Amino acid sequence: MAEVFEVALPLRRPFVTSFGATTTRRTVLVHLVGVDGAEGWGEAAALDHPFYLPDTTSSTFAVVTEWALPAALEAGPDPGSVARALEPIRGNTFARAGVEAAFWCLEAVRSGSSLAELFAYGGGGGQAVASASRAPLRLAAPVGESIGISETIEETLDEVQLCLAEGYQRVKLKIKPGWDLELVAAVREAVGEEVMLQVDANGAYSTDESDLSRLERLDEYGLACIEQPLAWDDIMGHSDLQRRIKTPICLDECLRSPRDVHRALALGACRNVNLKPGRVGGISASLAIHDVCRAQGVPLWCGGMLESGIGRAINLALCALPGVSDPADMSPASVLYEWDLIDPTYEV
Ligand code: OSB
Ligand code: MG
């Protein structure tokens, strides 16, 4: 039996980035129940609107129900076969990822393994991280916080201090032109040289000289990376910019498949990778990207899509892999939402 839900999660407060404020969060859930009674859940965590990537909650729901789930049910249940059956679907990465995740979850329940063990050592379909061999998995993953754009620098400074007091191991500030140099200078001044600090522009900067030189001035602040400064599809622009600035560029929106990661690394468009299983088309794609980054020594970390605990479980399992080197975006559901869809919820 398979069913698909669209669920509205009430955000405690708007999450503001350069592409606008996210106030409502509708997400898509895939639920499988086998004849043996085993259950699998997956989350297809596109945003409601098309301002992060083209996929929306509504488009994702349609592709899951009309195309991805029917193809997966015919090919499954082993996750490797499901991933291959979903490959002909172009784009629509969140839809493919949510369906594939439900089958990995089912496989985990049936085999009595954790998702992390399955990802590292292989499921029924023989998918596994090539470089993991039997390396021990991490039992806990370092976590950072992603801090939205606020009204005043003082407000953000308070949030940063709270976040560090709570033990987060890295601070990521959302930036846009005009909410950048002064902010980063103030935060660096407040936290000192040792705190791992990075910024995320969600594609807000143009390739005009005035924007490029602003980005270049961020080199002064010892940032771990600048995430997606230029447009969502501008790999060449990032390659040119990376030649000009010292701070590593991290790509998010630009990387929507393992091939995108190959291309970006070959062109020197980034030196750091944000891995979101939904954005790259699923878990098999995530494992392939993990292997490439690990082989090339590229810093890799798990990003977030404000998922419920269902989607976060997949992210958390990916964090256990040996090539995931940097702290994840994984604020707890208790901070983001009135309630979580899993009980108990995960803790940070
Ligand atoms: O750009 O990383 C992003 C959330 C929604 C969409 C895009 C992004 C984000 C975050 C997420 O920064 C943080 C999280 O999920 O905790
Ligand atoms: Mg990002």
Side-chain angles (χ1 to χ4, degrees):
M1 192 277 293
E3 54 188 347
V4 184
F5 299 90
E6 186 191 300
V7 179
L9 301 170
L11 275 165
R12 279 187 185 276
R13 60 187 187 122
F15 184 69
V16 183
T17 76
S18 64
F19 57 67
T22 300
T23 48
T24 60
R25 182 75 183 89
R26 291 150 54 227
T27 193
V28 176
L29 303 175
V30 179
H31 182 212
L32 304 173
V33 185
V35 284
D36 57 357
E39 288 184 71
W41 285 91
E43 180 170 357
L47 296 185
D48 296 34
H49 52 74
F51 307 127
Y52 166 70
L53 284 176
D55 310 55
T56 68
T57 308
S58 300
S59 70
T60 297
F61 187 89
V63 173
V64 166
T65 52
E66 293 174 27
W67 300 101
L69 188 56
L73 287 168
E74 191 154 316
D78 99 78
S81 310
V82 167
R84 279 188 294 279
L86 295 177
E87 255 170 39
I89 298 177
R90 298 179 181 181
N92 294 286
T93 57
F94 292 95
R96 285 189 274 136
V99 170
E100 193 194 341
F103 283 89
W104 280 94
C105 180
L106 193 64
E107 169 82 5
V109 169
R110 285 181 172 154
S111 65
S113 317
S114 68
L115 286 168
E117 287 166 336
L118 273 194
F119 294 172
Y121 309 138
Q127 299 268 312
V129 162
S131 52
S133 60
R134 299 294 299 186
L137 294 173
R138 254 186 224 113
L139 294 177
V143 170
E145 182 139 71
S146 176
I147 297 183
I149 293 170
S150 66
E151 293 290 316
T152 64
I153 290 180
E154 289 65 42
E155 243 175 277
T156 299
L157 284 173
D158 288 347
E159 254 191 274
V160 168
Q161 295 299 3
L162 198 62
C163 149
L164 294 176
E166 284 173 343
Y168 285 92
Q169 294 177 42
R170 179 268 285 150
V171 174
K172 163 169 147 182
L173 303 169
K174 292 288 190 178
I175 60 164
K176 61 180 179 182
W179 180 260
D180 45 14
L181 294 167
E182 226 185 307
L183 170 78
V184 172
V187 172
R188 178 53 91 199
E189 166 85 23
V191 302
E193 295 301 312
E194 297 303 309
V195 169
M196 185 177 180
L197 186 61
Q198 63 193 57
V199 293
D200 183 1
N202 288 109
Y205 292 80
S206 74
T207 51
D208 293 350
E209 179 53 31
S210 57
D211 275 5
L212 298 179
S213 65
R214 275 191 102 75
L215 291 166
E216 191 171 18
R217 284 161 66 196
L218 286 171
D219 272 348
E220 277 177 51
Y221 303 104
L223 300 175
C225 63
I226 301 178
E227 185 176 336
Q228 195 70 39
L230 307 178
W232 69 288
D233 58 352
D234 191 4
I235 289 195
M236 280 317 295
H238 285 99
S239 170
D240 293 340
L241 177 65
Q242 185 68 90
R243 264 187 272 277
R244 174 168 170 171
I245 65 176
K246 291 203 295 283
T247 310
I249 292 176
C250 169
L251 289 178
D252 176 354
E253 285 89 326
C254 273
L255 306 178
R256 300 185 297 278
S257 67
R259 262 198 291 275
D260 282 344
V261 175
H262 272 290
R263 176 169 37 222
L265 292 174
L267 291 170
C270 66
R271 294 182 188 150
N272 182 306
V273 170
N274 171 327
L275 177 62
K276 298 181 184 178
R279 197 199 62 228
V280 302
I283 289 158
S284 302
S286 298
L287 299 180
I289 289 167
H290 167 278
D291 284 358
V292 167
C293 291
R294 187 161 195 231
Q296 297 189 28
V298 176
L300 177 71
W301 52 284
C302 196
M305 288 297 299
L306 309 172
E307 297 93 340
S308 78
I310 293 173
R312 291 288 214 218
I314 298 289
N315 297 356
L316 195 52
L318 286 172
C319 287
L321 296 174
V324 177
S325 55
D326 288 4
D329 273 350
M330 190 98 56
S331 313
S334 58
V335 167
L336 300 173
Y337 297 112
E338 300 288 332
W339 63 82
D340 195 359
L341 299 175
I342 58 169
D343 184 16
T345 186
Y346 63 99
E347 279 176 45
V348 171

